[in-house]
């Protein structure tokens, strides 16, 4: 395979198992992993990927992935930008901050607090990467990341390397139009527009969010966050699962949390097939009990 500086290609066993790179602690090794760390070389990426002849999946923080064991017939794409959050300018009262898609959301939020900038504090306690958060419009407690996006830098074979404003995308609950983009693409960086506020006040908002989460969610246990999307803006899938008796329900090493029924926990030695079994049981029970059909929020890699 062609060698390009700025893009590393790891075959099979050289790639680190997904069980060590996903928050659910599940999953084997992608057949090929392609790691992009120099955006100036990115035009070589389509050629490299085409040669693998494998379907492409982008790996961020691994916090929303349910992956199968063994060698996975796919090409995992990762970004290592090294682009830490930096102020790039202002727009009236707003301050613009750019950061790499591979930066973890808590790192971005902590930097924004240090800069005395607010607007994303409600996302405190979400363990994903900035790119993953943008892809799925991560949100909690009324804050959604897209409400603060000023531009997104994307690469795809059809678009090339482009920086697009939010007007180019539709987005909504756990959705951005990027999810519908045909073929593979990479989110490389994003710029956010934020308001000035005292560091103390921003940090307090973040602490309050984390406290609220701790009270109602099993933070710190191996999970991928909520397994299912809420079926409606006003209907919590967690509540439906709870009412259908799914709290504490197990299959092998996987279990629906006793704290919040939409979190599936790997209690140790859980397997992909255990997770699928629980998902099917949950869907059937919720459908029977309430008539709602639940869709997955986690992304399945198999
Ligand atoms: N509830 C139960 N039992 C449960 C879970 C929840 O009765 O097992 C009840 C709660 O008591 C509350 C209501 O359902 O009255 C709503 O619960 P919660 O505030 O936890 O909100 P949610 O709709 O279940 C959503 C997001 C979370 C996000 C929280 C807070 C989804 C699928 N989930 O949960 O996001 O943290 O709101 O904003 O949208 C995630 O996306 O991975 C995630 C965890």
């Amino acid at each position: 395979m062609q060698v390009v500086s700025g893009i590393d290609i790891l075959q099979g066993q050289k790639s680190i198992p997904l069980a060590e790179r996903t928050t659910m602690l599940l999953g084997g090794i992608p057949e090929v992993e392609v790691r992009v760390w120099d955006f100036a070389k990115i035009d070589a990426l389509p050629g490299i990927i085409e040669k693998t002849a494998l379907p492409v999946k982008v790996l961020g923080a691994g916090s929303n992935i349910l992956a199968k064991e063994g060698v996975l017939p796919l090409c995992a794409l990762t970004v290592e930008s090294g682009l830490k959050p930096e102020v790039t300018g202002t727009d009236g009262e707003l301050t613009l901050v750019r950061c790499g898609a591979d930066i973890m959301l808590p790192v971005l939020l902590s930097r924004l607090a240090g800069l005395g900038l607010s607007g994303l504090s409600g996302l405190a306690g979400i363990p994903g990467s900035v790119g993953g958060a943008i892809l799925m419009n991560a949100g909690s407690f009324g804050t959604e990341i897209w409400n603060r996006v000023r531009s997104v830098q994307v690469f795809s074979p059809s678009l090339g390397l482009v920086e697009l404003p939010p007007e180019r995308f539709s987005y909504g609950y756990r959705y951005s139009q990027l999810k519908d983009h045909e073929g593979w693409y990479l989110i490389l960086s994003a710029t956010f527009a934020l308001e000035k506020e005292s560091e103390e006040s921003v940090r307090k908002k973040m602490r309050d969010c984390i406290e609220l989460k701790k009270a109602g969610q099993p933070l710190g246990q191996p999970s991928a966050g909520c397994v299912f999307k809420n079926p409606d803006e006003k209907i919590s899938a967690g509540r439906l699962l709870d009412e259908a008796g799914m709290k504490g329900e197990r299959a092998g090493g996987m279990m629906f949390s006793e704290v919040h029924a939409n979190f599936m926990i790997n209690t140790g030695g859980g397997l992909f097939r255990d997770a699928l079994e629980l998902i099917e049981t949950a869907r059937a029970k919720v459908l029977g009990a309430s008539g709602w059909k639940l869709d997955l929020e986690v992304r399945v890699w198999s």
Side-chain angles (χ1 to χ4, degrees):
M1 196 167 286
Q2 135 198 35
V3 177
V4 176
S5 100
I7 301 178
D8 297 333
I9 304 159
L10 310 175
Q11 306 271 2
Q13 303 302 321
K14 289 200 181 117
S15 165
I16 300 167
L18 291 166
E20 294 171 35
R21 305 162 87 183
T22 59
T23 53
M24 217 183 231
L25 311 182
L26 280 186
I29 297 175
E31 208 171 307
V32 177
E33 178 177 342
V34 176
R35 192 186 297 152
V36 182
W37 48 272
D38 183 355
F39 297 175
K41 303 290 167 40
I42 205 154
D43 284 340
L45 196 55
I48 291 170
I49 285 179
E50 208 171 302
K51 284 207 180 80
T52 71
L54 290 165
V56 176
K57 288 202 187 279
V58 179
L59 179 62
S63 58
N64 198 35
I65 290 177
L66 168 58
K68 193 177 179 184
E69 297 81 13
V71 176
L72 302 181
L74 52 89
C75 173
L77 254 185
T78 56
V79 174
E80 273 183 21
S81 71
L83 278 175
K84 299 206 170 75
E86 292 298 347
V87 173
T88 54
T90 53
D91 177 7
E93 299 284 289
L94 298 170
T95 303
L96 306 180
V97 173
R98 179 178 185 231
C99 87
D102 52 317
I103 299 298
M104 293 294 285
L105 213 43
V107 172
L108 171 63
L109 296 188
S110 171
R111 175 88 173 116
L112 294 182
L115 289 165
L117 294 173
S118 88
L120 291 175
S121 326
L123 303 181
I126 298 180
S129 66
V130 168
I134 285 179
L135 175 68
M136 62 170 300
N137 193 14
S140 68
F141 305 123
T143 303
E144 286 188 340
I145 197 164
W146 272 87
N147 294 338
R148 293 292 169 171
V149 168
R150 180 50 68 95
S151 67
V152 182
Q153 189 187 33
V154 180
F155 177 84
S156 83
S158 56
L159 295 171
L161 183 62
V162 285
E163 179 121 15
L164 301 169
E167 297 77 44
R168 282 286 301 270
F169 302 92
S170 57
Y171 49 88
Y173 167 67
R174 297 296 186 275
Y175 169 80
S176 79
Q177 206 181 353
L178 280 161
K179 278 186 162 177
D180 298 336
H181 185 82
E182 217 167 282
W184 65 268
Y185 58 90
L186 265 181
I187 302 169
L188 298 174
S189 71
T191 300
F192 302 97
L194 304 141
E195 275 133 24
K196 290 202 178 70
E197 198 174 309
S198 75
E199 172 172 359
E200 197 187 328
S201 157
V202 178
R203 289 208 189 273
K204 176 164 183 335
K205 280 187 187 162
M206 287 167 61
R207 271 199 311 276
D208 289 349
C209 277
I210 291 171
E211 284 311 313
L212 262 179
K213 283 220 163 121
K214 273 191 190 153
Q217 298 181 5
L219 296 193
Q221 292 193 50
S223 83
C226 286
V227 173
F228 297 104
K229 286 184 208 160
N230 286 347
D232 180 277
E233 219 178 306
K234 292 194 181 69
I235 312 260
S236 156
R239 187 171 60 75
L240 295 178
L241 288 155
D242 191 353
E243 288 168 358
M246 289 307 293
K247 268 189 178 167
E249 184 87 7
R250 284 176 175 268
M254 305 304 290
M255 181 184 97
F256 275 109
S257 166
E258 301 272 9
V259 180
H260 191 298
N262 201 4
F263 281 66
M264 193 193 286
I265 311 290
N266 185 349
T267 63
L271 296 172
F272 179 72
R273 66 158 189 265
D274 301 334
L276 288 191
E277 190 185 320
L278 265 189
I279 284 169
E280 286 323 311
T281 308
R283 273 192 169 136
K285 283 202 176 176
V286 168
L287 186 62
S290 67
W292 285 103
K293 265 179 85 178
L294 295 182
D295 288 331
L296 284 180
E297 178 177 309
V298 291
R299 295 163 85 84
V300 175
W301 285 30
S302 57

